[in-house]
Amino acid sequence: MPDQLALLEGRGLTISDRAAAQMSLRHIGYYRLSAYMRPFQSTDGTHRFDLGTTFDQIATLYSFDRKLRVIFLDAIDRIEVAIRSALTESLGIKHGSHWFLDPKHFAASTNHAELLQKLKDEIGHSDPRKRAVHIAHYYESYDVPDMPPSWMIVEAISFGSLANLVRNLNLANSKSVAWLIGLQEPALKSWCLSLSYLRNLCAHHSRIWNRVYTLKPTTIRQYDADLNPNDRTYAQAVSLKIMLDKCSGPANWAQRLKDLIDGFPDTPIDKMGFPQDWKTRMIWKS
């Protein structure tokens, strides 16, 4: 730790409380914190810090990002449950308990056999050790069909697998699910994937401040001004707010986000794509 502190000081970082800085490096890690240092460092290979940059700034920025991930995960949790419910209600009731076994319910480009195999692997079809309690009960009680009903599977698979299932639905089925969520069909497929990616970032403690996203929510005309550009954290926040409004009912999520940002006034939120007037925009007033 002393060597790391000396390295940072040698690059021009001001460290006022060495004990606190050493504690952060020990329990957070130099590599993780370095992601929050880079925007304050030169790109000429010397990694010199901008004049006046302090370790407290870096630690505060990390704390903000950690709290932002918690707020995002809360929204994703509620949206994820709503998507699982919509899939079960729209397709389970419409097509029966084992609709997913019939390839006609998926897009023509879907490799149905591969999709089923992935579902089987995830629920522990051939490995009882992987089975959730409700999945185990099905296999102990029934032989036909050889997979549990859709509502059991939908609750057992990961959000990533759920998003992949939605992405591969045929147009009629994806429209049915989108209608229950309150989204346009293209947005449902795109946003499920981008939210799955965002969830994984948050759950694995990855940085979302200053991130440029490879999986991003597609823009839709009604919200074009807030979703363009769509590769920054602001667009992710917008998609969360829209989906919460449509499928979770009244909540204080937007206010919690505003309060967090207000509580860290020195955080450069422009690096997350937040426009200067974001709080006064209509989407954040409802």
Side-chain angles (χ1 to χ4, degrees), residues 256-267:
R256 288 172 59 203
L257 179 62
K258 292 175 185 177
D259 290 345
L260 173 65
I261 291 176
D262 287 344
F264 288 81
D266 296 327
T267 298

Side-chain angles (χ1 to χ4, degrees), residues 104-141:
K104 74 180 181 183
H105 295 304
F106 296 92
S109 59
T110 301
N111 185 329
H112 185 250
E114 182 179 287
L115 183 146
L116 282 185
Q117 188 57 55
K118 287 182 179 179
L119 291 178
K120 287 181 176 181
D121 290 344
E122 189 156 357
I123 66 172
H125 178 78
S126 300
D127 187 353
R129 296 171 300 176
K130 293 183 178 180
R131 295 173 186 170
V133 172
H134 65 291
I135 298 293
H137 175 72
Y138 178 86
Y139 282 112
E140 290 165 2
S141 306

Side-chain angles (χ1 to χ4, degrees), residues 11 37-51 53:
R11 291 174 174 173
M37 300 176 189
R38 291 188 192 105
F40 303 98
Q41 293 176 292
S42 68
T43 57
D44 61 3
T46 64
H47 303 292
R48 290 286 303 177
F49 284 93
D50 298 337
L51 186 64
T53 304

